[in-house]
Amino acid sequence: MTANVGLLRPGTSAPAVLPAAVEAARALTTVEAHDVGVVRGQARVTVRFESPGDGQARRVAWAVLERLDELAEISDGRLVRRYGNRWYPPRRRDPGT
């Protein structure tokens, strides 16, 4: 999942944002990778994690977005899943979730 990070909320330090996002995901699943990059002049947080299905992936992504929103203005939150060597948006609804 990715999200653009804008202005930090009062009391938030820039180095604290990525670790907080990672901890929000780790509370629910295994985190595989994480990064902060600059895309088109804006900071973008990426947290890659394991998920057995789209429903669980959405729950983890929402937890990360909620935590990021507590720390900064965010935009363009996006969840994608990897199938083989391609990334796709999650399906609308998982059977059984």
Side-chain angles (χ1 to χ4, degrees):
M1 65 87 34
T2 61
N4 292 337
V5 177
L7 293 175
L8 299 178
R9 306 241 186 256
T12 301
S13 67
V17 174
L18 181 60
V22 170
E23 284 308 311
R26 264 195 195 127
L28 300 170
T29 191
T30 300
V31 173
E32 294 180 343
H34 49 85
D35 188 35
V36 173
V38 177
V39 179
R40 290 185 287 280
Q42 190 157 22
R44 179 179 292 172
V45 169
T46 300
V47 180
R48 195 170 85 201
F49 53 87
E50 293 180 5
S51 176
D54 290 346
Q56 175 66 14
R58 279 189 197 90
R59 285 187 284 281
V60 174
W62 276 114
V64 173
L65 289 172
E66 285 177 11
R67 184 64 180 124
L68 286 172
D69 190 54
E70 293 171 356
L71 301 172
E73 292 179 9
I74 60 171
S75 63
D76 297 329
R78 184 171 181 216
L79 173 65
V80 291
R81 300 223 35 212
R82 186 166 73 184
Y83 296 97
N85 62 350
R86 295 191 177 240
W87 296 89
Y88 298 96
R91 292 170 295 204
R92 282 230 176 242
R93 186 169 189 274
D94 261 355
T97 59

XYZ file of all heavy atoms in Angstrom:
745
model
N 0.843 -1.155 0.000
C 0.000 0.000 0.000
C 0.887 1.216 0.000
O 2.000 1.176 0.516
C -0.979 -0.040 1.165
C -0.431 0.026 2.567
S -0.167 1.664 3.284
C -1.416 2.660 2.649
N 0.389 2.270 -0.607
C 1.137 3.521 -0.671
C 0.222 4.671 -0.288
O -1.004 4.582 -0.423
C 1.694 3.797 -2.085
O 0.612 3.901 -3.003
C 2.649 2.710 -2.534
N 0.830 5.742 0.169
C 0.094 6.976 0.446
C 1.067 8.139 0.362
O 2.216 8.022 0.790
C -0.551 6.937 1.826
N 0.603 9.227 -0.192
C 1.395 10.447 -0.212
C 1.251 11.145 1.130
O 0.160 11.208 1.692
C 0.929 11.382 -1.325
C 1.236 10.822 -2.694
O 2.124 9.993 -2.856
N 0.498 11.277 -3.688
N 2.352 11.668 1.630
C 2.374 12.339 2.928
C 2.696 13.804 2.698
O 3.711 14.139 2.083
C 3.424 11.692 3.856
C 3.498 12.439 5.180
C 3.098 10.226 4.088
N 1.828 14.663 3.226
C 2.024 16.099 3.086
C 2.488 16.723 4.388
O 3.382 16.195 5.055
N 1.826 17.796 4.780
C 2.198 18.520 5.994
C 2.052 17.634 7.223
O 1.045 16.933 7.382
C 1.327 19.759 6.158
C 1.508 20.859 5.128
C 0.491 21.977 5.359
C 2.920 21.411 5.169
N 3.047 17.694 8.078
C 3.007 16.924 9.317
C 2.121 17.625 10.337
O 2.064 18.853 10.387
C 4.412 16.753 9.881
C 5.410 16.018 8.984
C 6.776 15.971 9.662
C 4.924 14.623 8.649
N 1.439 16.844 11.148
C 0.614 17.392 12.220
C 1.548 17.915 13.327
O 2.685 17.446 13.465
C -0.314 16.323 12.769
C -1.147 15.656 11.676
C -2.614 15.840 11.880
N -3.356 15.070 10.879
C -3.939 15.606 9.819
N -3.876 16.905 9.606
N -4.606 14.851 8.965
N 1.085 18.883 14.113
C 1.917 19.413 15.192
C 2.422 18.289 16.110
O 1.674 17.378 16.471
C 0.966 20.348 15.956
C -0.037 20.767 14.931
C -0.218 19.553 14.039
N 3.698 18.378 16.427
C 4.298 17.393 17.316
C 4.833 16.151 16.625
O 5.413 15.281 17.265
N 4.650 16.046 15.311
C 5.128 14.885 14.556
C 6.460 15.217 13.912
O 6.597 16.248 13.258
C 4.123 14.489 13.457
O 2.876 14.179 14.059
C 4.610 13.292 12.666
N 7.424 14.322 14.087
C 8.710 14.513 13.411
C 8.736 13.640 12.163
O 8.183 12.533 12.154
C 9.869 14.139 14.329
O 9.869 12.755 14.595
N 9.362 14.126 11.132
C 9.410 13.389 9.860
C 9.977 11.977 10.022
O 9.416 11.031 9.458
C 10.204 14.183 8.830
N 11.045 11.779 10.797
C 11.589 10.423 10.925
C 10.644 9.435 11.635
O 10.848 8.228 11.555
C 12.869 10.618 11.755
C 13.242 12.039 11.576
C 11.942 12.779 11.400
N 9.610 9.936 12.309
C 8.693 9.051 13.034
C 7.573 8.498 12.159
O 6.905 7.538 12.546
C 8.089 9.800 14.216
N 7.354 9.064 10.991
C 6.186 8.703 10.183
C 6.268 7.272 9.651
O 5.335 6.484 9.838
C 5.983 9.714 9.035
C 4.857 9.281 8.105
C 5.689 11.102 9.610
N 7.347 6.911 8.987
C 7.449 5.565 8.421
C 7.419 4.482 9.502
O 6.663 3.521 9.363
C 8.692 5.425 7.544
C 8.876 4.053 6.886
C 7.697 3.706 5.981
C 10.184 4.016 6.109
N 8.184 4.597 10.585
C 8.104 3.558 11.618
C 6.699 3.395 12.202
O 6.267 2.279 12.502
C 9.092 4.031 12.690
C 10.059 4.892 11.962
C 9.252 5.562 10.883
N 5.963 4.483 12.337
C 4.594 4.391 12.851
C 3.687 3.648 11.874
O 2.853 2.830 12.281
C 4.048 5.790 13.133
N 3.853 3.913 10.582
C 3.058 3.210 9.570
C 3.380 1.720 9.576
O 2.484 0.870 9.499
C 3.327 3.805 8.192
N 4.650 1.392 9.691
C 5.082 -0.009 9.712
C 4.529 -0.713 10.945
O 4.024 -1.839 10.858
C 6.625 -0.104 9.660
C 7.098 -1.523 9.916
C 7.122 0.396 8.317
N 4.577 -0.070 12.095
C 4.056 -0.690 13.321
C 2.550 -0.931 13.228
O 2.053 -1.925 13.743
C 4.400 0.156 14.540
C 5.846 0.023 14.947
C 6.290 -1.433 15.126
O 5.601 -2.212 15.814
O 7.336 -1.789 14.558
N 1.820 -0.028 12.587
C 0.375 -0.241 12.406
C 0.118 -1.502 11.595
O -0.784 -2.282 11.899
C -0.254 0.974 11.729
N 0.915 -1.730 10.562
C 0.768 -2.947 9.750
C 1.235 -4.169 10.524
O 0.574 -5.219 10.500
C 1.549 -2.812 8.448
N 2.365 -4.053 11.222
C 2.922 -5.191 11.975
C 1.998 -5.693 13.066
O 2.068 -6.847 13.459
C 4.242 -4.798 12.615
C 5.392 -5.195 11.782
C 6.705 -5.149 12.547
N 7.731 -5.205 11.541
C 8.724 -4.360 11.413
N 8.882 -3.388 12.283
N 9.584 -4.479 10.443
N 1.151 -4.833 13.568
C 0.193 -5.253 14.592
C -0.809 -6.258 14.027
O -1.443 -6.988 14.784
C -0.542 -4.032 15.155
N -0.927 -6.317 12.701
C -1.924 -7.175 12.060
C -1.341 -8.276 11.190
O -2.028 -9.256 10.902
C -2.861 -6.314 11.209
C -3.633 -5.245 11.969
C -4.337 -4.315 11.000
C -4.622 -5.891 12.933
N -0.105 -8.095 10.720
C 0.458 -9.067 9.776
C 1.978 -8.908 9.706
O 2.549 -8.059 10.374
C -0.168 -8.890 8.372
O 0.190 -10.000 7.548
C 0.259 -7.597 7.716
N 2.598 -9.701 8.850
C 4.038 -9.618 8.625
C 4.329 -8.548 7.573
O 3.749 -8.567 6.490
C 4.585 -10.975 8.136
O 4.307 -11.955 9.128
C 6.073 -10.911 7.869
N 5.219 -7.643 7.914
C 5.633 -6.597 6.975
C 6.852 -7.100 6.222
O 7.827 -7.542 6.824
C 5.945 -5.282 7.712
C 6.534 -4.246 6.762
C 4.686 -4.744 8.381
N 6.788 -7.062 4.901
C 7.890 -7.535 4.056
C 8.898 -6.444 3.743
O 10.097 -6.701 3.668
C 7.346 -8.091 2.747
C 6.508 -9.339 2.915
C 5.985 -9.846 1.582
O 5.984 -9.089 0.586
O 5.563 -11.008 1.549
N 8.414 -5.232 3.504
C 9.293 -4.132 3.116
C 8.588 -2.810 3.388
O 7.359 -2.756 3.476
C 9.657 -4.230 1.636
N 9.380 -1.757 3.497
C 8.823 -0.419 3.691
C 9.828 0.601 3.189
O 11.033 0.348 3.155
C 8.461 -0.180 5.156
C 9.564 -0.544 6.116
N 10.581 0.317 6.432
C 9.803 -1.680 6.796
C 11.388 -0.271 7.288
N 10.947 -1.506 7.527
N 9.294 1.758 2.786
C 10.165 2.758 2.189
C 9.457 4.109 2.164
O 8.224 4.170 2.178
C 10.513 2.348 0.758
C 11.563 3.239 0.119
O 12.466 3.702 0.832
O 11.467 3.466 -1.103
N 10.246 5.160 2.114
C 9.747 6.506 1.823
C 10.506 6.975 0.601
O 11.734 6.892 0.556
C 9.981 7.491 2.987
C 9.610 8.901 2.569
C 9.192 7.087 4.204
N 9.770 7.437 -0.387
C 10.388 7.965 -1.595
C 9.752 9.294 -1.947
O 8.778 9.713 -1.324
N 10.295 9.941 -2.936
C 9.721 11.187 -3.433
C 9.239 10.930 -4.854
O 10.013 10.521 -5.718
C 10.745 12.342 -3.399
C 10.138 13.611 -3.980
C 11.222 12.569 -1.978
N 7.945 11.126 -5.055
C 7.326 10.912 -6.363
C 6.633 12.203 -6.769
O 5.765 12.707 -6.046
C 6.316 9.742 -6.311
C 5.655 9.546 -7.667
C 7.006 8.457 -5.857
N 7.038 12.740 -7.906
C 6.502 14.013 -8.402
C 6.539 15.093 -7.313
O 5.579 15.829 -7.108
C 5.095 13.822 -8.954
C 5.084 13.020 -10.252
C 3.708 12.927 -10.870
N 2.800 12.037 -10.172
C 2.783 10.712 -10.282
N 3.640 10.107 -11.057
N 1.914 9.990 -9.620
N 7.650 15.139 -6.592
C 7.863 16.181 -5.604
C 7.163 15.982 -4.273
O 7.172 16.875 -3.436
N 6.551 14.827 -4.067
C 5.830 14.586 -2.814
C 6.320 13.296 -2.152
O 6.600 12.311 -2.839
C 4.331 14.486 -3.084
C 3.520 14.473 -1.811
C 2.105 14.923 -2.048
O 1.596 14.872 -3.154
N 1.460 15.365 -0.999
N 6.415 13.329 -0.832
C 6.828 12.133 -0.086
C 5.755 11.053 -0.225
O 4.561 11.334 -0.115
C 7.035 12.471 1.380
N 6.205 9.826 -0.480
C 5.273 8.694 -0.589
C 5.776 7.560 0.303
O 6.896 7.093 0.167
C 5.162 8.196 -2.020
C 4.198 7.002 -2.124
C 4.033 6.501 -3.522
N 3.324 7.502 -4.301
C 3.165 7.425 -5.617
N 3.676 6.424 -6.299
N 2.510 8.358 -6.256
N 4.910 7.132 1.213
C 5.192 6.001 2.089
C 4.692 4.740 1.410
O 3.570 4.700 0.888
C 4.484 6.181 3.454
C 4.528 4.911 4.272
C 5.101 7.326 4.216
N 5.525 3.706 1.415
C 5.144 2.394 0.901
C 5.364 1.377 2.002
O 6.428 1.336 2.610
C 6.009 2.003 -0.319
O 5.813 2.981 -1.348
C 5.632 0.630 -0.848
N 4.326 0.569 2.262
C 4.430 -0.531 3.218
C 3.938 -1.781 2.496
O 2.785 -1.837 2.069
C 3.597 -0.283 4.492
C 3.732 -1.452 5.458
C 4.009 1.018 5.167
N 4.831 -2.760 2.339
C 4.464 -4.017 1.680
C 4.336 -5.083 2.761
O 5.223 -5.242 3.592
C 5.508 -4.409 0.655
C 4.983 -5.485 -0.293
C 5.913 -5.692 -1.439
N 6.935 -6.634 -1.014
C 8.114 -6.769 -1.577
N 8.449 -6.006 -2.582
N 8.967 -7.658 -1.153
N 3.234 -5.824 2.710
C 2.951 -6.790 3.761
C 2.294 -8.041 3.190
O 1.795 -8.039 2.062
C 2.050 -6.169 4.834
C 0.783 -5.555 4.283
C -0.362 -6.310 4.091
C 0.743 -4.206 3.948
C -1.522 -5.744 3.592
C -0.409 -3.624 3.440
C -1.543 -4.407 3.265
N 2.301 -9.108 3.983
C 1.665 -10.358 3.591
C 0.181 -10.315 3.953
O -0.193 -9.747 4.974
C 2.307 -11.536 4.323
C 3.734 -11.782 3.925
C 4.343 -12.959 4.658
O 3.626 -13.653 5.421
O 5.542 -13.185 4.468
N -0.627 -10.961 3.116
C -2.051 -11.054 3.392
C -2.624 -12.263 2.672
O -2.358 -12.454 1.487
C -2.766 -9.793 2.916
O -4.157 -9.930 3.100
N -3.425 -13.072 3.376
C -4.006 -14.240 2.724
C -5.152 -13.909 1.764
O -5.514 -14.719 0.924
C -4.510 -15.088 3.893
C -4.783 -14.102 4.971
C -3.758 -13.016 4.791
N -5.714 -12.725 1.879
C -6.834 -12.372 1.006
C -7.034 -10.872 0.939
O -6.430 -10.101 1.686
N -7.904 -10.467 0.033
C -8.154 -9.049 -0.182
C -8.777 -8.380 1.035
O -8.453 -7.235 1.346
C -9.053 -8.852 -1.402
C -8.348 -9.188 -2.702
O -7.109 -9.325 -2.694
O -9.038 -9.315 -3.725
N -9.676 -9.067 1.721
C -10.316 -8.480 2.901
C -9.305 -8.140 3.979
O -9.319 -7.044 4.547
N -8.416 -9.073 4.276
C -7.372 -8.825 5.271
C -6.428 -7.713 4.799
O -6.023 -6.859 5.584
C -6.574 -10.097 5.552
C -5.390 -9.915 6.469
C -5.756 -9.539 7.905
O -6.900 -9.656 8.315
N -4.782 -9.076 8.647
N -6.104 -7.708 3.523
C -5.226 -6.656 2.986
C -5.864 -5.282 3.172
O -5.184 -4.319 3.537
C -4.931 -6.916 1.510
N -7.165 -5.194 2.936
C -7.854 -3.917 3.143
C -7.793 -3.477 4.600
O -7.581 -2.304 4.897
C -9.317 -4.026 2.709
C -9.538 -3.900 1.245
C -11.043 -3.797 0.949
N -11.264 -4.067 -0.431
C -11.497 -5.269 -0.957
N -11.563 -6.327 -0.189
N -11.673 -5.413 -2.247
N -7.990 -4.421 5.524
C -7.945 -4.078 6.952
C -6.566 -3.540 7.344
O -6.461 -2.557 8.075
C -8.319 -5.284 7.808
C -9.820 -5.577 7.793
C -10.199 -6.661 8.772
N -9.838 -8.001 8.315
C -10.515 -8.722 7.430
N -11.611 -8.236 6.885
N -10.111 -9.925 7.092
N -5.526 -4.173 6.855
C -4.172 -3.716 7.165
C -3.936 -2.334 6.550
O -3.423 -1.427 7.213
C -3.116 -4.722 6.670
C -1.706 -4.176 6.873
C -3.282 -6.067 7.378
N -4.316 -2.165 5.293
C -4.119 -0.874 4.626
C -4.875 0.239 5.352
O -4.333 1.337 5.540
C -4.558 -0.957 3.165
N -6.109 -0.030 5.785
C -6.876 0.984 6.521
C -6.198 1.335 7.829
O -6.163 2.498 8.231
C -8.310 0.521 6.771
C -9.206 0.793 5.609
C -9.811 -0.124 4.803
C -9.604 2.073 5.101
N -10.538 0.511 3.822
C -10.430 1.845 3.985
C -9.320 3.373 5.478
C -10.982 2.894 3.252
C -9.877 4.416 4.746
C -10.701 4.163 3.647
N -5.642 0.340 8.525
C -4.932 0.609 9.783
C -3.728 1.521 9.530
O -3.479 2.458 10.300
C -4.492 -0.701 10.437
N -3.005 1.253 8.468
C -1.842 2.087 8.132
C -2.300 3.502 7.771
O -1.730 4.492 8.251
C -1.019 1.465 6.985
C 0.073 2.421 6.522
C -0.427 0.138 7.418
N -3.336 3.615 6.951
C -3.832 4.938 6.569
C -4.342 5.719 7.775
O -4.106 6.927 7.876
C -4.930 4.811 5.515
C -4.469 4.380 4.129
C -5.667 4.112 3.235
C -3.549 5.416 3.520
N -5.035 5.051 8.680
C -5.528 5.735 9.882
C -4.364 6.274 10.711
O -4.406 7.404 11.196
C -6.381 4.787 10.722
C -7.746 4.548 10.143
C -8.559 3.555 10.957
O -8.152 3.190 12.089
O -9.613 3.123 10.463
N -3.319 5.453 10.853
C -2.153 5.900 11.628
C -1.451 7.063 10.933
O -1.074 8.046 11.570
C -1.176 4.734 11.832
C -0.008 5.082 12.692
C -0.457 5.430 14.114
N 0.697 5.768 14.931
C 0.828 6.919 15.589
N -0.126 7.826 15.540
N 1.904 7.153 16.309
N -1.270 6.956 9.621
C -0.646 8.052 8.881
C -1.457 9.336 9.008
O -0.896 10.418 9.159
C -0.475 7.679 7.409
C 0.632 6.692 7.080
C 0.542 6.284 5.611
C 2.003 7.277 7.397
N -2.778 9.213 8.953
C -3.646 10.383 9.038
C -3.537 11.065 10.400
O -3.738 12.271 10.510
C -5.094 9.992 8.752
C -5.983 11.204 8.600
O -5.655 12.080 7.779
O -7.008 11.282 9.324
N -3.211 10.307 11.442
C -2.995 10.902 12.761
C -1.727 11.758 12.779
O -1.611 12.684 13.581
C -2.862 9.815 13.823
C -4.137 9.038 14.064
C -3.917 7.825 14.957
O -2.759 7.541 15.341
O -4.910 7.159 15.273
N -0.782 11.425 11.912
C 0.529 12.068 11.924
C 0.708 13.160 10.879
O 1.549 14.043 11.047
C 1.615 11.013 11.713
C 1.651 9.889 12.748
C 2.632 8.820 12.316
C 1.973 10.436 14.116
N -0.055 13.083 9.786
C 0.176 14.013 8.677
C -1.046 14.076 7.779
O -1.935 13.230 7.856
C 1.385 13.544 7.864
N -1.038 15.068 6.914
C -2.044 15.106 5.851
C -1.641 14.059 4.826
O -0.474 13.997 4.419
C -2.097 16.486 5.205
C -2.618 17.552 6.120
C -2.648 18.918 5.465
O -2.418 19.019 4.235
O -2.899 19.888 6.193
N -2.577 13.215 4.424
C -2.255 12.172 3.450
C -3.203 12.264 2.267
O -4.301 12.814 2.372
C -2.300 10.755 4.067
C -3.681 10.437 4.620
C -1.226 10.597 5.121
C -3.869 8.989 5.045
N -2.768 11.708 1.157
C -3.613 11.660 -0.041
C -3.204 10.461 -0.882
O -2.140 9.868 -0.682
C -3.470 12.947 -0.863
O -2.148 13.088 -1.322
N -4.056 10.131 -1.798
C -3.783 9.066 -2.769
C -3.406 7.735 -2.126
O -2.520 7.034 -2.606
C -2.689 9.490 -3.760
C -3.112 10.678 -4.590
O -4.320 10.804 -4.853
O -2.248 11.483 -4.966
N -4.084 7.373 -1.032
C -3.863 6.051 -0.451
C -4.278 4.991 -1.458
O -5.338 5.091 -2.080
N -3.417 3.997 -1.643
C -3.683 2.999 -2.682
C -3.218 1.627 -2.215
O -2.118 1.485 -1.681
C -2.938 3.385 -3.950
C -3.212 2.479 -5.097
C -2.610 3.045 -6.358
N -2.925 2.135 -7.433
C -2.137 1.870 -8.436
N -0.975 2.468 -8.537
N -2.497 1.025 -9.366
N -4.068 0.643 -2.434
C -3.737 -0.740 -2.114
C -3.689 -1.529 -3.405
O -4.596 -1.437 -4.233
C -4.794 -1.338 -1.186
C -4.678 -2.830 -0.892
C -3.404 -3.141 -0.122
C -5.901 -3.306 -0.117
N -2.616 -2.278 -3.602
C -2.506 -3.193 -4.735
C -1.978 -4.521 -4.221
O -1.295 -4.571 -3.206
C -1.599 -2.645 -5.868
C -2.248 -1.468 -6.563
C -0.229 -2.284 -5.355
N -2.321 -5.601 -4.933
C -1.852 -6.942 -4.586
C -1.036 -7.489 -5.737
O -1.321 -7.218 -6.890
C -3.046 -7.867 -4.343
C -3.897 -7.338 -3.219
C -4.399 -8.289 -2.223
N -3.536 -9.377 -1.901
C -3.988 -10.573 -1.557
N -5.268 -10.814 -1.536
N -3.172 -11.534 -1.234
N -0.029 -8.267 -5.400
C 0.820 -8.829 -6.441
C 0.385 -10.253 -6.745
O 0.216 -11.073 -5.857
C 2.280 -8.825 -6.012
C 3.188 -9.279 -7.157
C 4.612 -8.969 -6.893
N 5.142 -9.854 -5.868
C 6.362 -9.764 -5.381
N 7.165 -8.816 -5.801
N 6.778 -10.592 -4.472
N 0.199 -10.494 -8.026
C -0.075 -11.827 -8.544
C 0.992 -12.084 -9.609
O 1.010 -11.408 -10.633
C -1.472 -11.923 -9.161
C -2.572 -11.701 -8.148
C -3.176 -10.456 -8.008
C -2.986 -12.736 -7.321
C -4.170 -10.246 -7.074
C -3.980 -12.533 -6.380
C -4.569 -11.292 -6.264
O -5.548 -11.086 -5.324
N 1.903 -13.001 -9.323
C 3.021 -13.218 -10.234
C 3.918 -12.000 -10.213
O 4.338 -11.553 -9.154
N 4.161 -11.432 -11.368
C 5.019 -10.250 -11.420
C 4.237 -8.970 -11.705
O 4.804 -7.975 -12.103
C 6.131 -10.441 -12.464
C 5.576 -10.610 -13.862
O 4.370 -10.772 -14.036
N 6.441 -10.579 -14.845
N 2.928 -9.004 -11.484
C 2.082 -7.832 -11.745
C 1.337 -7.407 -10.497
O 1.057 -8.221 -9.626
C 1.070 -8.139 -12.848
C 1.747 -8.392 -14.168
C 0.724 -8.409 -15.260
N 1.393 -8.572 -16.516
C 1.322 -7.693 -17.489
N 0.604 -6.622 -17.362
N 1.961 -7.912 -18.609
N 0.993 -6.132 -10.445
C 0.258 -5.559 -9.317
C -1.143 -5.187 -9.789
O -1.311 -4.558 -10.827
C 0.977 -4.325 -8.795
C 2.320 -4.638 -8.239
C 3.502 -4.676 -8.922
C 2.632 -4.988 -6.890
N 4.524 -5.018 -8.069
C 4.017 -5.215 -6.822
C 1.866 -5.132 -5.736
C 4.655 -5.572 -5.642
C 2.505 -5.480 -4.560
C 3.877 -5.701 -4.528
N -2.146 -5.578 -8.993
C -3.546 -5.321 -9.333
C -4.276 -4.757 -8.111
O -3.926 -5.095 -6.974
C -4.253 -6.622 -9.728
C -3.678 -7.289 -10.943
C -2.742 -8.305 -10.820
C -4.069 -6.910 -12.219
C -2.205 -8.933 -11.933
C -3.535 -7.530 -13.343
C -2.613 -8.541 -13.185
O -2.077 -9.152 -14.291
N -5.339 -3.971 -8.335
C -6.163 -3.559 -7.209
C -6.876 -4.795 -6.633
O -7.109 -5.761 -7.366
C -7.158 -2.578 -7.811
C -7.075 -2.740 -9.278
C -5.791 -3.435 -9.601
N -7.219 -4.761 -5.353
C -7.930 -5.916 -4.783
C -9.312 -6.051 -5.407
O -9.882 -5.076 -5.901
C -8.019 -5.594 -3.293
C -7.813 -4.124 -3.201
C -7.003 -3.710 -4.380
N -9.823 -7.270 -5.348
C -11.187 -7.483 -5.824
C -12.151 -6.771 -4.912
O -11.845 -6.469 -3.774
C -11.499 -8.984 -5.852
C -10.689 -9.715 -6.900
C -10.858 -11.167 -6.705
N -10.261 -11.479 -5.395
C -9.804 -12.647 -5.043
N -9.891 -13.664 -5.838
N -9.254 -12.840 -3.864
N -13.342 -6.550 -5.408
C -14.359 -5.829 -4.646
C -14.669 -6.510 -3.317
O -14.810 -5.891 -2.316
C -15.633 -5.705 -5.458
C -15.517 -4.625 -6.485
C -16.731 -3.781 -6.331
N -16.721 -2.645 -7.178
C -16.734 -1.427 -6.696
N -16.703 -1.217 -5.428
N -16.778 -0.415 -7.499
N -14.814 -7.811 -3.311
C -15.213 -8.505 -2.092
C -14.641 -9.901 -2.098
O -14.736 -10.625 -3.072
C -16.721 -8.577 -2.009
C -17.226 -9.142 -0.722
C -18.730 -8.935 -0.610
N -19.167 -9.275 0.705
C -19.488 -10.503 1.085
N -19.401 -11.497 0.246
N -19.889 -10.747 2.316
N -14.054 -10.297 -0.972
C -13.567 -11.669 -0.786
C -14.715 -12.568 -0.367
O -15.474 -12.201 0.518
C -12.553 -11.700 0.368
C -11.124 -11.682 -0.099
O -10.902 -11.747 -1.310
O -10.256 -11.615 0.761
N -14.838 -13.745 -0.946
C -15.818 -14.690 -0.408
C -15.407 -15.070 1.013
O -14.250 -15.292 1.298
C -15.689 -15.911 -1.335
C -14.991 -15.402 -2.556
C -14.175 -14.231 -2.121
N -16.352 -15.062 1.912
C -16.091 -15.475 3.275
C -15.524 -14.398 4.175
O -15.127 -14.665 5.290
N -15.470 -13.138 3.705
C -14.965 -12.084 4.606
C -16.070 -11.128 4.954
O -17.073 -11.042 4.339
C -13.804 -11.277 3.974
O -14.252 -10.672 2.772
C -12.602 -12.135 3.772
